[in-house]
Amino acid sequence: MKKFFLINLMVLTFSVVYSQEVSDALRYSQNNLNGTARFRALSGAFGALGGDLSSINVNPAGSAVFNNNQFGSTISNFSTKNNSNYFGTSTSECDSTFDLNQAGMVFVFKNQNTKSEWKKFSLALNYENANNFDNSTFSSGTNPNNSIDKYFLYYANQNGGVSVSNLQLQSGETISSLYGFLGSDPTLGFGAQQAFLGFQGFIIDPAANYNEISNRNYVSLVPNGGNYYQENYFTSNGYNGKLNFNFATQYKDFLYLGVNLNSHFTDYSQYTSFYERNNQVSNEIRINRLQFDNRLYTYGNGFSFQVGAIAKVTKEFRLGLAYESPTWYTLNDELSQSLVGISSSTSGELSPDIIDPRVTMIYDRYKIQTPDKITGSLAYVFGNQGLISFDVAYKNYSNITLSPTNQFRNLNTTISNTLTNSAEFRVGAEKKIKQLSLRAGYRFEESPYKNTKTMGNLNGYSGGLGYNFGNTKVDLSYSHTKRNYQQQFFSQGFTDSANIEAITNNFSLTFLFEL
């Protein structure tokens, strides 16, 4: 695939938002299974157990289960493999990252008053990379019917269409200045910019007998006949971090209560490059090749809280219940675009039309409210021999809301109609042999979409081991997940998609020190 390297020279601040999609909102509402190696090895089934730094993320009462002060950190290798099938052509793309995934500490304060029924309280601080955004896919194949021209036609013709006079360069006007003007005008905005790119790249043109001012009907300059060879390259980088400020307490010998105040921060960058080629030759000048690049950068922060309880029903049997509030994010988007089109006719190929505004558009801040979550748990502890634990969690993804609501009303309606509630099941077991611990787990998460073809259910399994040296513990884990989904290259007009099989593998190593 031929690539063009372009430089952004202008930065403009716009009071309108670009065209967000359901997948953008969902990105900040789902989390990977991250944390300590022991937590991962048991597939996160810790809601009724506690006593692990990452268990605080499931049930904040878990820090009161600790008997001693502890510090721990985790390093992880996170690898992804995305197998794509696009109109019968199979491709594969792999990524691997290595980072500090978790770090935290807990301080336990025992009540010296032996007559008090409140035995101790704990304070904990724990950071985790709640979501790793490092990922890439590559899809290629021959589309028998549809060209990307439908994307530009959609925006050119929507809501009665964009006036031709708004898309034509006037004397002394540059591509950068007109592109920036269209994006900053609240009556035109992102849609008019897409029409402008298609018009200046000679992908679309006004229909015959048009009036420069009133014409709002455009036609394609891509040859008819189908069999368009297409490539789509997608890569993303970044993280979604979560910092827990935790307080928990133990009442008598059977009840643990806790609360988290959580600070969230996200940094996400995405680059997509779409390439299309057709081999049709016409007497008229027609587009034969094009490349459309988009770069998105999103950053911001958020807040949430959690409350939870763990009850020792008997010495062996435990129950847990936890509630996590929505996360209220404030986000910022920056976007840049470029287009290269090459036209030809029976007379030969023309020079490339490079439509590179070299503009980075900085949009007004907006807010996302993710769904809340409730988790129920039970566990059975076989003394010092081992344990088995089970968690079930519930989220309603249709409750995701973006604001200001007047700007996101249509998207919020689409989210409500497209997404649904989702349950997650986690089970884990541990067997202790003197200082050695053997662990295994299984995880199942339902699709957040009503149409499970859009995104399927997630299945994952895990395993690991740990060794207790006394005041120092070392844990190692491996986890594997697989999920199928449809990757739609564009959300409007041209909506064909590739079928993706996403496979992740994670190795984690945790060092724990009792202080």
Side-chain angles (χ1 to χ4, degrees):
M1 181 175 65
K2 188 175 182 181
K3 296 184 178 180
F4 301 85
F5 298 92
L6 305 170
I7 302 173
N8 297 317
L9 298 180
M10 297 180 63
V11 177
L12 299 178
T13 301
F14 293 161
S15 60
V16 293
V17 295
Y18 93 102
S19 182
Q20 279 89 353
E21 305 170 11
V22 175
S23 59
D24 294 318
L26 195 60
R27 181 183 307 121
Y28 304 101
S29 302
Q30 291 181 301
N31 292 328
N32 292 333
L33 182 64
N34 289 322
T36 66
R38 185 182 180 218
F39 182 83
R40 284 179 177 272
L42 271 69
S43 288
F46 266 88
L49 290 174
D52 183 275
L53 286 167
S54 291
S55 72
I56 299 169
N57 255 324
V58 179
N59 190 331
S63 70
V65 178
F66 283 94
N67 289 318
N68 299 293
N69 302 338
Q70 191 174 102
F71 168 79
S73 63
T74 303
I75 53 177
S76 296
N77 176 261
F78 181 78
S79 63
T80 61
K81 181 179 181 181
N82 291 302
N83 299 316
S84 172
N85 186 287
Y86 186 60
F87 290 101
T89 300
S90 297
T91 55
S92 184
E93 192 79 8
C94 299
D95 283 283
S96 181
T97 59
F98 183 84
D99 61 10
L100 178 67
N101 175 255
Q102 174 273 334
M105 61 185 71
V106 59
F107 298 97
V108 180
F109 302 89
K110 297 179 181 179
N111 194 342
Q112 301 302 316
N113 183 359
T114 57
K115 295 182 180 180
S116 174
E117 295 180 334
W118 297 95
K119 300 297 183 181
K120 61 184 174 183
F121 73 90
S122 60
L123 297 174
L125 181 69
N126 187 57
Y127 166 79
E128 288 189 5
N129 189 351
N131 208 343
N132 188 325
F133 294 136
D134 295 348
N135 192 28
S136 62
T137 62
F138 177 73
S139 304
S140 67
T142 301
N143 192 321
N145 301 309
N146 296 320
S147 164
I148 193 179
D149 62 352
K150 291 180 171 56
Y151 170 85
F152 298 102
L153 286 171
Y154 171 84
Y155 284 108
N157 292 326
Q158 71 169 342
N159 301 323
V162 181
S163 172
V164 178
S165 61
N166 284 324
L167 307 183
Q168 292 177 323
L169 295 173
Q170 306 300 318
S171 178
E173 197 169 30
T174 65
I175 287 176
S176 296
S177 61
L178 182 52
Y179 179 82
F181 166 77
L182 294 172
S184 62
D185 189 326
T187 63
L188 296 169
F190 178 82
Q193 287 179 314
Q194 307 318 292
F196 172 75
L197 292 172
F199 177 78
Q200 292 293 331
F202 296 99
I203 298 171
I204 61 174
D205 211 33
N209 302 319
Y210 72 94
N211 179 283
E212 183 177 280
I213 302 300
S214 62
N215 179 74
R216 296 173 181 270
N217 184 29
Y218 294 82
V219 295
S220 173
L221 293 179
V222 175
N224 294 324
N227 295 323
Y228 306 105
Y229 175 76
Q230 297 165 344
E231 295 179 352
N232 188 76
Y233 176 67
F234 166 96
T235 184
S236 62
N237 300 98
Y239 63 91
N240 196 358
K242 183 178 180 181
L243 183 63
N244 307 120
F245 299 90
N246 169 269
F247 171 81
T249 186
Q250 177 185 346
Y251 180 74
K252 294 186 176 180
D253 291 323
F254 70 88
L255 183 63
Y256 304 84
L257 303 171
V259 61
N260 286 348
L261 300 179
N262 304 317
S263 178
H264 302 256
F265 29 93
T266 188
D267 190 277
Y268 175 80
S269 61
Q270 172 186 301
Y271 168 71
T272 61
S273 182
F274 182 88
Y275 172 80
E276 180 175 297
R277 181 185 73 233
N278 66 80
N279 296 319
Q280 301 177 44
V281 179
S282 171
N283 291 328
E284 299 179 332
I285 297 176
R286 292 288 184 264
I287 282 284
N288 286 128
R289 284 180 286 156
L290 64 87
Q291 180 175 312
F292 183 35
D293 292 350
N294 287 262
R295 295 171 177 83
L296 171 67
Y297 176 47
T298 301
Y299 56 96
N301 53 67
F303 170 80
S304 69
F305 67 87
Q306 294 169 268
V307 294
I310 297 175
K312 282 188 177 180
V313 180
T314 67
K315 186 177 180 180
E316 295 82 13
F317 185 59
R318 303 179 185 183
L319 294 176
L321 183 65
Y323 170 79
E324 182 173 359
S325 75
T327 301
W328 294 276
Y329 281 106
T330 300
L331 300 178
N332 305 266
D333 285 337
E334 298 180 7
L335 179 69
S336 61
Q337 299 180 294
S338 61
L339 174 71
V340 176
I342 299 177
S343 302
S344 65
S345 69
T346 53
S347 300
E349 187 174 279
L350 304 181
S351 299
D353 294 299
I354 301 177
I355 314 304
D356 177 19
R358 302 191 180 190
V359 170
T360 296
M361 298 170 289
I362 301 177
Y363 297 99
D364 276 356
R365 292 179 180 178
Y366 62 99
K367 298 180 184 295
I368 291 182
Q369 178 180 310
T370 70
D372 57 359
K373 178 180 180 180
I374 188 166
T375 302
S377 312
L378 57 89
Y380 195 89
V381 180
F382 301 93
N384 294 324
Q385 302 302 309
L387 58 89
I388 186 168
S389 180
F390 178 79
D391 287 2
V392 58
Y394 175 88
K395 275 186 179 182
N396 189 345
Y397 287 95
S398 66
N399 290 334
I400 298 173
T401 305
L402 285 79
S403 59
T405 54
N406 63 320
Q407 294 180 344
F408 292 103
R409 184 173 290 107
N410 291 337
L411 179 58
N412 288 333
T413 300
T414 301
I415 289 172
S416 179
N417 294 335
T418 303
L419 302 183
T420 186
N421 52 64
S422 171
E424 181 181 4
F425 305 91
R426 302 187 295 267
V427 60
E430 181 178 61
K431 172 64 178 177
K432 293 185 177 181
I433 307 172
K434 295 183 179 181
Q435 285 80 27
L436 180 66
S437 297
L438 304 177
R439 300 156 183 153
Y442 173 76
R443 174 190 177 201
F444 173 82
E445 181 181 329
E446 292 181 324
S447 169
Y449 284 87
K450 293 179 180 179
N451 182 359
T452 56
K453 290 184 179 179
T454 304
M455 178 179 288
N457 300 326
L458 180 144
N459 282 277
Y461 59 82
S462 58
L465 51 87
Y467 196 87
N468 189 343
F469 292 93
N471 291 332
T472 303
K473 298 177 183 178
V474 178
D475 298 319
L476 177 68
S477 70
Y478 165 75
S479 60
H480 169 93
T481 65
K482 183 164 67 174
R483 168 174 259 164
N484 296 328
Y485 66 95
Q486 293 179 333
Q487 185 181 49
Q488 197 174 70
F489 303 154
F490 299 94
S491 62
Q492 304 292 346
F494 176 62
T495 57
D496 291 341
S497 58
N499 295 317
I500 307 293
E501 179 189 56
I503 300 171
T504 67
N505 293 284
N506 184 282
F507 289 93
S508 295
L509 180 65
T510 299
F511 296 93
L512 296 168
F513 307 93
E514 289 192 357
L515 306 176

